[in-house]
Amino acid sequence: MVEFFIAVRHILERKFQSIFSILGVAIAVTVFIVSLTVSNGLEKNMITSLLTLSPHIQIKSTKGSFFDNYNDVIEKTKGIKDVKAVIPQINSQSIIKFDNFAKGVLAKGMEAENVKNDLKLRIVKGNKNISELNSILIGEGLSKEMDLKVGDVLSLVSAENKELKLTVKGIFKTGFLDYDSNLVIIPLRTMQILGEQGEVATEIGIITGNPQKIEEVEAQVYEKLQNDNFSVISWKTINHNLLNAVQFEKFVLIAILSLLLMIASFAVSVILNMIVREKIKDIGILKSIGYTNSHIRNIFTIEGLIIGVSGMILASILSPVILMILKKLFKIFMGNSYYYLEELPLYISVRELSMIYIVAFAVVFISTIYPAARAAKMKPVEALKYE
């Protein structure tokens, strides 16, 4: 306890340097938290948008483009733990025409019940009811590009060169520009009629409860279907290059922010060394009245930790304030820009937050070792011989 009060006194005697060190740690930790929160939020938003219309696990036939026994596959896979939905679908490159405009799109045929209950599809206009065979859902980007509105009738030309009139029932927005500009959803039965292949599907999509932990479900699906000439592939495999790029970017960000934290801890070490140099006489007196090397070491270690912990407490106050300001500024200046985001997505897990504070504490503690050891090794005679 005495060591603690001596450490506090030393810090208060050098207020300017102490405040400078506390601010250095606070700024480093705040920048770390804010940057990681924004990076995580953007990554999570990208994955959420990507998976809005993409299955977590994709099943295709290895025998050909179509398979007609998709109901058997549904029965085999829907009972697997963590499987929330099994969605048969037909994907086909098509052309939509409206008011002298034409555009190539990916037509995705799905059951009306799956669209209604299993897709987390955000409808900005109309509804997502495609129970009628002449129904179609289009993306917001496509609706703006072709000036389409709910209730408009457009023509869809299939890959088999068959044309069909469809009515726009709803306009969706996933947040993924490619989907919103180049993808349409129509009833599965309509796609089957256009393809003249009977009750078939080009693929079956599986939606799980936790797409981040897809490996176990993927293994179970593969085990159920391994003798049925089907290929099973997860969304992580399909987007392997994209996810690797995101992880590498995150690694570089954390490495740079860690260097910033080390610079802040270096400032703490410099301040402690200055205090040691100024307190040579005090150290000599303390040792002459019975203070051991351990006591002296504890005093200067506590000084460094007080500075570090004060900086971390200040960072825990500054971080949410700065994040709220960034969120408001983003909404004001960039909400309707080409970033395709209405607001700045933010996310950080308790585990990541805990790791930041643990690492910051450890780095600050390491920075106190040399000045504390230097002070502890000082001999009373050398400290007092010029006094």
Side-chain angles (χ1 to χ4, degrees):
M1 185 60 73
V2 176
E3 289 96 328
F4 176 80
F5 285 115
I6 295 173
V8 172
R9 183 183 173 187
H10 285 177
I11 291 171
L12 294 176
E13 284 177 357
R14 298 187 62 87
K15 291 180 183 177
F16 177 78
Q17 291 87 345
S18 299
I19 291 171
F20 178 80
S21 297
I22 290 169
L23 284 176
V25 174
I27 291 169
V29 175
T30 300
V31 170
F32 207 131
I33 293 171
V34 170
S35 301
L36 196 59
T37 302
V38 173
S39 175
N40 285 350
L42 291 171
E43 178 187 344
K44 188 176 181 182
N45 180 78
M46 179 198 69
I47 292 173
T48 302
S49 301
L50 184 67
L51 294 178
T52 302
L53 287 172
S54 289
H56 302 163
I57 296 175
Q58 187 182 88
I59 304 170
K60 288 188 175 183
S61 173
T62 56
K63 290 182 176 180
S65 300
F66 296 91
F67 54 88
D68 53 11
N69 58 337
Y70 63 82
N71 285 318
D72 295 337
V73 177
I74 293 173
E75 289 301 317
K76 287 181 180 180
T77 55
K78 70 179 183 180
I80 295 174
K81 184 181 178 182
D82 206 36
V83 169
K84 302 300 180 184
V86 184
I87 306 173
Q89 51 192 278
I90 294 178
N91 296 330
S92 177
Q93 292 296 329
S94 305
I95 297 172
I96 60 171
K97 297 190 294 186
F98 177 74
D99 196 21
N100 297 323
F101 289 99
K103 180 180 172 65
V105 296
L106 176 64
K108 188 180 280 286
M110 306 176 77
E111 295 279 8
E113 286 300 310
N114 292 136
V115 174
K116 183 180 178 181
N117 301 322
D118 302 321
L119 290 187
K120 295 179 180 178
L121 202 59
R122 179 187 168 197
I123 301 295
V124 292
K125 291 179 182 177
N127 58 69
K128 55 181 177 179
N129 181 11
I130 57 169
S131 56
E132 297 177 10
L133 293 180
N134 67 335
S135 303
I136 185 170
L137 301 179
I138 63 173
E140 187 181 52
L142 183 61
S143 72
K144 290 179 179 178
E145 185 178 346
M146 299 191 71
D147 196 27
L148 283 162
K149 300 177 180 63
V150 174
D152 286 344
V153 177
L154 55 81
S155 298
L156 183 137
V157 182
S158 68
E160 294 79 17
N161 201 29
K162 290 181 173 60
E163 188 169 339
L164 184 67
K165 297 288 185 181
L166 299 171
T167 302
V168 177
K169 296 294 184 180
I171 298 171
F172 62 80
K173 182 175 182 179
T174 64
F176 194 62
L177 187 58
D178 193 42
Y179 290 162
D180 293 345
S181 300
N182 302 301
L183 189 144
V184 298
I185 300 173
I186 64 177
L188 178 63
R189 184 57 186 154
T190 303
M191 288 295 286
Q192 290 170 344
I193 292 170
L194 284 171
E196 295 182 344
Q197 298 285 337
E199 294 189 5
V200 298
T202 56
E203 65 180 61
I204 292 176
I206 293 178
I207 305 298
T208 65
N210 188 354
Q212 293 293 349
K213 297 179 179 179
I214 199 70
E215 292 78 12
E216 185 178 341
V217 179
E218 183 185 9
Q220 291 183 55
V221 172
Y222 183 79
E223 185 180 344
K224 293 275 187 181
L225 304 175
Q226 61 181 340
N227 298 320
D228 294 332
N229 298 305
F230 294 118
S231 67
V232 179
I233 186 169
S234 73
W235 73 274
K236 286 187 176 181
T237 304
I238 295 171
N239 299 287
H240 179 71
N241 290 336
L242 176 63
L243 294 176
N244 277 349
V246 169
Q247 288 302 314
F248 179 72
E249 181 183 308
K250 193 171 183 179
F251 169 77
V252 172
L253 176 67
I254 290 174
I256 293 171
L257 295 174
S258 298
L259 289 174
L260 184 63
L261 196 57
M262 291 175 67
I263 292 169
S265 68
F266 178 74
V268 175
S269 182
V270 169
I271 293 297
L272 288 180
N273 272 303
M274 291 173 64
I275 294 174
V276 170
R277 195 174 293 115
E278 288 181 358
K279 299 297 180 181
I280 291 175
K281 176 185 173 183
D282 293 353
I283 293 169
I285 292 171
L286 289 172
K287 283 202 166 186
S288 66
I289 62 173
Y291 272 66
T292 64
N293 289 350
S294 178
H295 289 138
I296 302 299
R297 189 183 301 110
N298 288 342
I299 290 171
F300 289 96
T301 300
I302 290 169
E303 285 182 37
L305 293 179
I306 289 173
I307 292 171
V309 171
S310 299
M312 286 186 275
I313 292 171
L314 184 58
S316 67
I317 298 170
L318 289 175
S319 299
V321 172
I322 291 173
L323 286 169
M324 285 190 291
I325 292 171
L326 284 175
K327 198 165 187 176
K328 287 186 178 180
L329 289 175
F330 186 91
K331 199 164 187 177
I332 294 169
F333 295 107
M334 298 182 182
N336 297 314
S337 70
Y338 55 85
Y339 286 99
Y340 205 65
L341 292 170
E342 293 180 357
E343 63 178 15
L344 184 65
L346 303 172
Y347 175 76
I348 189 167
S349 66
V350 175
R351 178 175 170 272
E352 288 173 323
L353 203 57
S354 301
M355 284 301 298
I356 291 172
Y357 282 111
I358 290 169
V359 170
F361 185 86
V363 170
V364 170
F365 175 75
I366 292 170
S367 71
T368 67
I369 292 175
Y370 173 72
R374 182 166 168 258
K377 288 179 181 177
M378 200 170 291
K379 296 179 181 179
V381 175
E382 291 180 2
L384 296 172
K385 67 180 178 179
Y386 297 113
E387 298 299 327

